[in-house]
Amino acid sequence: MNNDVMKKVILNLGTGTLAKGCETVIGEILEEGQPYPVRFTAQLPPAPELGRLQQQWQQLYYQRNQDQVFRIHLLDTEGFRYSESDFGKTSQALAQQLNRWLTSEAFRPIDQMLRTELERSDDVQLILEASDPQIRRLPWHLWQLCEDYPNVELTFSASDWRTLPETLPNTSKTKILATFGNSEGLDLAADLAALNQLPDTKLTVLESPELNQLHESLWQPSGWDIFFFAGHSQTQDDTGVIDLNHKDRLTIDQIKHALGKAIANGLKIAIFNSCDGLGLAQQLSALQIPYIVVMREPVPDRIAQQFLHYLLTAFAGGIPFHLAVKEARRRLSGLDNDIPCASWLPIIWQNPTAPPIYWEDFQAKRARQRALERKGWLSPALKGALSASAVVVIRLLGLLEPFELPLYDHLMRRRPAEPIDSRVVVVEITQDATSEYGYPLPDEALTTLVEKLIAAEPLAIGLDLHRPKALSVSRQSFSSLTITESSSITEGLVVTQSASNVNEPESLSLSAYDRFLQQVENTPTLFLVCAYGSSDENYRAPLGLSEALRIDQVGFSDLPTDGFSPGGTAVRGDVSAQGSTAVAGNKVRRHILTYDPSLSQTPSHCITPYSLSFHLAYEYLLFKNVSPLDLTEQQHWQFGDAVFKPLSTRFGGYQSLLGPTDQVVLNYRANQPAGKVTLDQILTDDFDPAILRDRVVMVGYTAPVSKDYFETPYGPMPGIWIHAHMVSQLISAPLDNRPIIYVLPQWRSWQWGDVLWIVMWSGGAAYIGWRINRRSLWTISTVGAVAVLYVVCWGAMIFGLWLPMLPTALAILVATSWVRLSQEASAPLLNQKS
């Protein structure tokens, strides 16, 4: 589709003349969609020398072309001597003097304003309102501004104009009434040939018609799109006269009623391919015809023929009419060697309210479609808003959640890699360790491990090992040890560690287990785990610890997972289940900081309100003197400048979060979140204690036998490493200003920021789709919009902002498709109505 959104610049010179100057020049810049124009004023000084040069040029032009075949009967050159050199110098001087006048100090504010407000790529109609005939005869197209801005065309207008009601064509062909007047001495066959070559045209030709015949044709109810005249004409005392036939000379006044009727029936363009038509244009403009093309001076027959050919070729080729005139005039400059200044002759008069006209606007289907769009009937903005609203409703129902969360995972994985968080170290209990020491790890090995870790002087130690009671076996039986594990699945959450067999006789290793409990009691920075999401005793805190220690030195290990039933319904909760029971698609994306044990939905022996990661991070930040480490007035946890706002029911792609917890979205590091050593390295002293000193040290299973694996955005991951990501998030947010995953503004669960974002993209895409008519360009623009959206959402995710990518992309596709279907269907619908 050709774009008809253009800027219009109207310069009103008032009643000024070249002799007296223009005391007030009022300029306005109008742009579609802008409620008010940009207005500015200036002056033009008297320019008598410019007037003298114009008259001299005109006389030299007449003399220069006296041997040409003109489309005028009378060309007065008597008593004037011609010199080719004088003509060239006068032409050059006239152009220079015109630009000096237009760059004068008094007029400079307008020139500067135009150059400030206009871009070189803008399509601009520069409309000049001037009452002085001599000013109108100046070669305004030589204004340097028109040369510097390739899509600017200067047209003329009467000072009085009004908006005409829009009329629409009723056929699929362009209707042209071609009137060929007195052709004595002229070759008008070339004009007729140019008209006959136009596509999709209904051409009616009148050759040397009588006045009543022209009247009847103009009054035809079906109307005309273009009126064309070729023959002899001239201007006498500002009145245009055409030779209708060999005997009748006609003024516009004699056919003004018929022309007025034709304009009311849809006439948009009048082309007078004849001589000295300024008088004709002046009179026709009073009838408010949208566009008129005339010749400023007498025109040689050859120039008239070439101009018409160039004009119609450009116009039918898709260029807006006013720019087609400019192209045709520029092509005439190729004939300047034979007929100098030929390109100076064509000018346009127009009604300033007329929109740009394209050849396709004369086709009923396209014209009616554009008329609907201009009137706002299901406008692009409305289509975009309705499309966005439909997508938002679908999102609120949770139907997009199974697709938004995997897309979130995709964007997470596409982020740049981050360095390892050196403040956290994971001690992995690998498959080799379980093969050597047994599974679960016996008390003897556990106490030895803890002793060596304490000796390395870390700031905090976290054991992701459920150990409610003693567990000890002989070393010889490690390799054949089989422990019956207890699983507990409740509402979509998994416990991160399997427990020991509580039925194992305590007499086997009582002293080792007691030593382990003493290590806990004597080391305030040593933290154990329990599971509040399970009533199984295998997941409770050690019974030998006091209630105070079971709160202060025990953290829950529950990990919330996102899963979906076969019907697509989200399944989640705030309780735990064993990692091995997580079905494909259940992923850990959230991080629970604290919860209220009294609100637990199931009986639990886990009475601590704090997660393991919360305990460890708090201990580390306390040692680093980070302040505050407390709740805000809104009861949000704050570590330093980082405030961890708990998720509302709706957050990003989540639409039904539940549970009495303070939880945030887990911002995984796009790399391993911590350093690591193995259990074997610790027990055999094959490590440098410096790598643990002043760190947070976490111990957990990575051996497959533990079945302590979970799905994450980065694939299957042992529970201990997920906890490491959580500790790293809590530490790096206040210390490194690493972002906490956040979303656009919302009020409670009302995601108004997301809604506004979706509406803006949908409306913008709908508008772009409305501006584009060709299917290939429409497809490219739609795909391009989605691609840009992807890049924006990916870039935002790098900085922790979760944007509604999927709903926005769907809204774009729905809006642009709706606009496209409307464009294709609106014209047939209108034809049926008419």
Side-chain angles (χ1 to χ4, degrees), residues 401-403 405-407 409 413 492 494 560-565 569-572 579 581-590 654 709-713 715-716:
E401 188 171 339
F403 310 100
L405 295 182
L407 186 56
D409 297 340
R413 291 192 298 270
V494 292
T561 63
D562 303 320
F564 300 92
S565 69
T569 305
V571 179
R572 66 175 62 85
T581 63
V583 298
N586 286 7
K587 292 185 179 180
V588 178
R589 299 184 180 93
R590 291 171 288 133
Y654 290 110
Y709 277 75
F710 300 83
E711 288 293 330
T712 74

Side-chain angles (χ1 to χ4, degrees), residues 472-656:
S472 183
V473 295
S474 64
R475 188 175 182 85
Q476 289 75 13
S477 64
F478 283 171
S479 59
S480 60
L481 177 66
T482 301
I483 303 282
T484 303
E485 300 178 22
S486 174
S487 64
S488 173
I489 308 173
T490 314
E491 301 188 30
L493 287 170
V494 292
V495 168
T496 66
Q497 178 58 42
S498 58
S500 64
N501 190 335
V502 296
N503 296 320
E504 194 70 31
E506 294 186 19
S507 59
L508 291 179
S509 181
L510 181 59
S511 61
Y513 188 71
D514 285 341
R515 283 191 5 247
F516 170 66
L517 295 182
Q518 290 175 357
Q519 288 173 329
V520 176
E521 293 174 352
N522 296 333
T523 312
T525 57
L526 175 61
F527 298 91
L528 309 181
V529 290
C530 62
Y532 77 79
S534 173
S535 59
D536 193 325
E537 291 187 352
N538 289 318
Y539 297 99
R540 69 187 181 186
L543 297 179
L545 297 179
S546 66
E547 181 175 337
L549 289 180
R550 279 184 281 155
I551 293 176
D552 295 338
Q553 284 185 244
V554 176
F556 59 79
S557 60
D558 304 72
L559 300 179
T561 63
D562 303 320
F564 300 92
S565 69
T569 305
V571 179
R572 66 175 62 85
D574 287 327
V575 290
S576 300
Q578 188 178 345
S580 61
T581 63
V583 298
N586 286 7
K587 292 185 179 180
V588 178
R589 299 184 180 93
R590 291 171 288 133
H591 177 188
I592 301 177
L593 305 182
T594 63
Y595 89 111
D596 185 348
S598 65
L599 299 178
S600 179
Q601 298 177 358
T602 58
S604 174
H605 299 287
C606 186
I607 61 174
T608 179
Y610 308 111
S611 67
L612 174 64
S613 57
F614 185 92
H615 270 304
L616 295 174
Y618 191 99
E619 194 69 27
Y620 184 90
L621 295 173
L622 183 64
F623 182 84
K624 294 295 184 179
N625 295 318
V626 173
S627 178
L629 294 175
D630 206 348
L631 291 168
T632 66
E633 293 181 358
Q634 293 77 30
Q635 299 301 298
H636 302 157
W637 283 106
Q638 179 175 358
F639 293 169
D641 293 330
V643 177
F644 295 86
K645 298 180 181 179
L647 304 182
S648 58
T649 302
R650 303 184 191 277
F651 184 89
Y654 290 110
Q655 297 299 307
S656 56

